[in-house]
Each structure stands twice: as structure tokens, then as C-alpha cells.
Amino acid sequence: MTDADLNSEILLDHYRNPHHHGQIENPSAKQLEYNPVCGDTIQITVRIENDRITDIKFIGRGCSVSQGTASMLTDHVLGLSLEEVKKISQEDLLDMLGINLGPSREKCALLSLNTIKKCISQYENKSRS
Ligand code: FES
């Protein structure tokens, strides 16, 4: 089995058995995003304390790449500071997945990263006002 095969298996396992699935009550921020190409969705709720992610959950509807990535990414960002999450680039995310996705499947993977970042923007805008 190659590394790419193994990483595909890991992603599929996250899709079938998602981590952090659900919704947080009274979250610090909540964001729903969709992929305009297919209409698939990711909603993320997050709890932020002392500028750090202390809880995060997602729900959504879509392909194995979008939903599996959301599960992996919520594992990854839990406990990170907001600044650390803001620095996660598209390349970092694709490296983390370790699979060669075509451009349209990359959009599936990036949906959850964009959603998490919008949650942080929403939280920061709310904190400033
Ligand atoms: Fe819709 Fe992947 S096909 S997010």
C-alpha cells in the first residue's frame, strides 16, 4: 500500500466515523458554508476561550472529501490559538491530507478550512464591536 492509498483510507475512515460531529450549544461563533459547484455544506460551531479553540464541532452534507476533511481538520485545530489557525494555508491542508486531489476535489477539501476561518473572523469582528 502506498502512502497515498493509506491517506485515502484515513480520510475515508474519518468520513465513515467523523470526529467532533454535532453542534455546540451557545457557541462563540457559528458558520455555514457551501460549495457553489455542488451545493454541499459544512456548518461549524466553535467555542473560543483566551483566543484558543477549546471546542469545535461540525455537521454537513457532502462527499467523502469534504466531510472527511472536516473531521480531520477539527481534530487538528482543537487546542490551537486563533493566530495558529489563521496561518493554516491551503497548501498546509492539502499536505495534511497527503492525497493528490484534482482542482475540483481540492475545493471539496478547502470547504472546511474556509468555514473555520470565517468562524474566527466572525468572532473577532464581534469581539471588536
Ligand atoms: Fe460537493 Fe465535494 S462534491 S463538496
Side-chain angles (χ1 to χ4, degrees), residues 76-123:
H76 182 74
V77 301
L78 184 60
L80 294 185
S81 70
L82 300 187
E83 289 308 314
E84 287 169 325
V85 178
K86 285 196 284 188
K87 282 188 194 137
I88 301 173
S89 66
Q90 299 191 356
E91 291 71 30
D92 293 336
L93 179 75
L94 297 173
D95 282 352
M96 186 178 94
L97 295 178
I99 309 169
N100 202 355
L101 299 166
S104 66
R105 301 297 271 170
E106 284 183 5
K107 286 199 177 68
C108 306
L110 294 170
L111 185 58
S112 51
L113 181 62
N114 293 337
T115 311
I116 287 175
K117 290 194 175 184
K118 286 195 177 170
C119 275
I120 292 176
S121 301
Q122 185 194 97
Y123 173 79

Side-chain angles (χ1 to χ4, degrees), residues 26-31 45-54 81-83 86 115-129:
N26 302 317
S28 307
K30 172 178 174 176
Q31 190 71 41
T45 48
V46 63
R47 175 153 298 118
I48 297 167
E49 289 162 311
N50 299 323
D51 286 338
R52 202 165 278 282
I53 295 189
T54 57
S81 70
L82 300 187
E83 289 308 314
K86 285 196 284 188
T115 311
I116 287 175
K117 290 194 175 184
K118 286 195 177 170
C119 275
I120 292 176
S121 301
Q122 185 194 97
Y123 173 79
E124 290 183 332
N125 289 338
K126 210 165 54 181
S127 305
R128 263 187 236 118
S129 58

Side-chain angles (χ1 to χ4, degrees), residues 34-42 61-67 104-109 111:
Y34 69 100
N35 181 343
V37 178
C38 61
D40 290 345
T41 59
I42 293 282
R61 181 180 51 75
C63 66
S64 57
V65 176
S66 66
Q67 307 301 307
S104 66
R105 301 297 271 170
E106 284 183 5
K107 286 199 177 68
C108 306
L111 185 58

